[in-house]
Amino acid sequence: MPVQIAMDRLLLKAPVFGHLVMISTVARWTRTLSTMFAAGVPLVEALDSVGGASGNYVYTLATKKIQQEVSTGNSLTSAMENSKIFPNMVIQMVSIGRGIGGAGRHALQSRRLLRGRGRRCG
């Protein structure tokens, strides 16, 4: 596992390619979160699946920390900000969605925007 963490960190820091890996990883993360919300799964339980689905061990570990923070009463967006690995745009869209009761829909929209950015970068 320590080797996988190091490799995933290295991938995320690589010039140009790292940005694409981040976009792809966050898109998977938000897509899974959106799907879980749409299915009515409670947030803390949904985060169990979200981390593993990201495909990047750095995000898996961060999701576990996010889950711990959320289970102790912190907001999802606050926990995402504390992880320091999510783009501000994604955090803002999830925050807007949580405020109006549509976090799943806004997480899905974040994923779509990230996919568009990934295509333009590649």
Side-chain angles (χ1 to χ4, degrees):
M1 249 190 292
V3 172
Q4 186 64 47
I5 296 169
M7 291 301 295
D8 284 350
R9 270 198 186 108
L10 187 62
L11 275 175
L12 288 168
K13 291 181 180 181
V16 180
F17 184 68
H19 183 71
L20 294 174
V21 169
M22 183 271 300
I23 287 172
S24 169
T25 302
V26 173
R28 276 191 303 275
W29 196 94
T30 57
R31 178 180 56 236
T32 306
L33 181 63
S34 176
T35 301
M36 300 298 275
F37 275 144
V41 177
L43 177 58
V44 175
E45 291 176 31
L47 288 168
D48 274 334
S49 299
V50 170
S54 70
N56 185 293
Y57 207 72
V58 172
Y59 279 82
T60 300
L61 292 176
T63 303
K64 287 179 183 180
K65 289 179 185 175
I66 290 169
Q67 184 181 31
Q68 289 172 347
E69 287 188 40
V70 168
S71 68
T72 60
N74 284 350
S75 70
L76 174 60
T77 53
S78 171
M80 289 172 70
E81 285 175 347
N82 291 343
S83 73
K84 300 188 186 331
I85 61 170
F86 290 93
N88 285 333
M89 176 196 65
V90 172
I91 294 170
Q92 289 171 0
M93 290 193 77
V94 170
S95 176
I96 290 167
R98 295 291 293 169
I100 60 173
R105 186 173 61 247
H106 284 276
L108 181 59
Q109 184 64 24
S110 297
R111 177 191 61 89
R112 289 180 181 143
L113 287 170
L114 285 168
R115 283 185 56 194
R117 281 186 167 184
R119 287 188 188 122
R120 285 192 298 269
C121 292

